[in-house]
């Protein structure tokens, strides 16, 4: 859980982790030098599975994600931003897929919660989403939400830095495309998390930046022939 001044929604995010029916987890909280009450809120929970880290300096989001990954001790990594939340059975539904040692990522469907319109909509309308080696599927229709991901850590460790910290918007897209060119993906075909759409979303505010980053990404993919 990466956090920078996330006090508004933080409790709901934390409570959705505590409510998991799958109990064998740890929560790595990476505080990217928040100046609000985020640290106070997190530290108010007395749970041995909670691990708090305060960044030595404020960094980009994807740099912060890389730093948080280094602090984890489990076999699998999941991601939850402070303004999103999980369904209580998310991890219970996903972890069994990793019995297949070729599976590197398990994703799922999600709800988009629009607080301004007071709506909740299912993100993916397909009844069955792609499984297996899905590079072509993701390049044609990127359908993976970071909030739904669980990733095998040993596969992440094959990358010097999993997330490309030169990106501010498309870092998770970049990582998933690269992983899909090597590893199997599995999917839970129902919403297992909620992504909150609000006026402070970086991905909503940075559409021009996203386009510019995709142009840069296209050039970088020349180093990955199978993708290019």
């Amino acid at each position: 859980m990466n956090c920078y001044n996330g006090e508004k929604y933080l409790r709901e995010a934390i409570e959705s982790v505590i409510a998991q029916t799958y109990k064998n987890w740890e929560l790595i909280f990476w505080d990217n030098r928040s100046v609000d009450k985020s640290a106070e809120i997190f530290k108010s929970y007395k749970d041995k599975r909670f691990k708090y880290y305060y960044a030595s300096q404020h960094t980009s989001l994807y740099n912060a994600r890389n730093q948080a990954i280094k602090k984890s001790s489990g076999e699998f990594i999941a991601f939850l931003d402070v303004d999103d939340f999980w369904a209580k059975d998310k991890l219970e539904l996903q972890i069994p897929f990793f019995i297949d040692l070729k599976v590197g990522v398990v994703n799922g469907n999600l709800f988009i919660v629009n607080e301004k319109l007071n709506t909740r909509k299912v993100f993916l309308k397909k009844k069955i989403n792609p499984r297996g080696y899905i590079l072509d599927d993701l390049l044609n229709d990127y359908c993976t939400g970071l909030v739904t991901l669980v990733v095998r850590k040993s596969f992440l460790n094959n990358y010097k830095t999993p997330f490309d910290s030169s990106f501010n918007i498309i870092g998770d897209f970049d990582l998933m495309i690269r992983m899909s060119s090597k590893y199997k993906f599995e999917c839970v075909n129902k919403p297992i998390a909620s992504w909150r759409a609000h006026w402070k979303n970086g991905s909503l505010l940075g559409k021009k930046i996203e386009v510019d980053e995709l142009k840069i990404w296209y050039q970088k993919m020349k180093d990955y022939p199978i993708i290019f």
Side-chain angles (χ1 to χ4, degrees), residues 8-108:
K8 183 175 181 180
Y9 304 110
L10 179 55
R11 285 195 184 277
E12 187 172 8
I14 292 173
E15 294 290 344
S16 77
V17 177
I18 295 173
Q20 290 298 299
T21 53
Y22 180 90
K23 300 299 183 182
N24 185 21
W25 49 261
E26 63 176 356
L27 179 52
I28 305 297
F29 188 84
W30 187 265
D31 186 346
N32 205 357
R33 303 187 73 85
S34 299
V35 295
D36 64 356
K37 293 183 179 179
S38 295
E40 179 182 332
I41 291 170
F42 184 80
K43 291 177 181 180
S44 70
Y45 291 88
K46 307 304 179 184
D47 191 312
K48 293 180 180 179
R49 295 169 296 181
F50 281 32
K51 313 289 176 60
Y52 176 85
Y53 297 95
Y54 187 71
S56 59
Q57 62 180 16
H58 180 77
T59 66
S60 68
L61 173 60
Y62 290 116
N63 187 305
R65 291 203 200 284
N66 287 333
Q67 296 300 320
I69 288 170
K70 291 178 182 178
K71 300 297 183 181
S72 65
S73 60
E75 292 181 57
F76 310 105
I77 304 289
F79 304 94
L80 179 60
D81 289 334
V82 294
D83 50 356
D84 302 328
F85 52 97
W86 288 345
K88 65 182 181 180
D89 57 352
K90 176 185 184 293
L91 297 179
E92 182 182 4
L93 290 171
Q94 291 180 288
I95 295 299
F97 283 109
F98 289 103
I99 292 174
D100 182 345
L101 298 180
K102 294 181 179 179
V103 171
V105 179
V106 180
N107 57 29

Side-chain angles (χ1 to χ4, degrees), residues 37-197:
K37 293 183 179 179
S38 295
E40 179 182 332
I41 291 170
F42 184 80
K43 291 177 181 180
S44 70
Y45 291 88
K46 307 304 179 184
D47 191 312
K48 293 180 180 179
R49 295 169 296 181
F50 281 32
K51 313 289 176 60
Y52 176 85
Y53 297 95
Y54 187 71
S56 59
Q57 62 180 16
H58 180 77
T59 66
S60 68
L61 173 60
Y62 290 116
N63 187 305
R65 291 203 200 284
N66 287 333
Q67 296 300 320
I69 288 170
K70 291 178 182 178
K71 300 297 183 181
S72 65
S73 60
E75 292 181 57
F76 310 105
I77 304 289
F79 304 94
L80 179 60
D81 289 334
V82 294
D83 50 356
D84 302 328
F85 52 97
W86 288 345
K88 65 182 181 180
D89 57 352
K90 176 185 184 293
L91 297 179
E92 182 182 4
L93 290 171
Q94 291 180 288
I95 295 299
F97 283 109
F98 289 103
I99 292 174
D100 182 345
L101 298 180
K102 294 181 179 179
V103 171
V105 179
V106 180
N107 57 29
N109 207 340
L110 58 89
F111 289 114
I112 298 177
V113 177
N114 190 311
E115 63 173 21
K116 185 175 181 180
L117 299 177
N118 194 29
T119 59
R120 187 181 77 159
K121 296 182 179 180
V122 175
F123 175 55
L124 299 172
K125 306 301 182 183
K126 305 172 185 176
K127 291 184 178 180
I128 299 177
N129 295 305
R131 289 180 153 135
Y133 294 95
I134 64 170
L135 172 61
D136 287 349
D137 298 280
L138 292 184
L139 287 173
N140 285 321
D141 181 15
Y142 187 72
C143 56
T144 298
L146 183 76
V147 66
T148 74
L149 299 180
V150 179
V151 182
R152 192 184 297 274
K153 189 181 179 184
S154 63
F155 290 177
L156 275 185
N157 289 340
N158 291 330
Y159 302 95
K160 185 177 180 181
T161 52
F163 290 103
D164 186 333
S165 58
S166 69
F167 295 131
N168 293 300
I169 303 292
I170 69 165
D172 46 312
F173 164 81
D174 164 65
L175 177 59
M176 288 301 101
I177 294 296
R178 287 185 284 123
M179 291 197 73
S180 70
S181 70
K182 289 185 175 183
Y183 308 117
K184 286 178 67 175
F185 278 50
E186 279 291 351
C187 183
V188 177
N189 284 303
K190 75 168 194 173
I192 53 174
S194 294
W195 180 82
R196 197 189 307 269

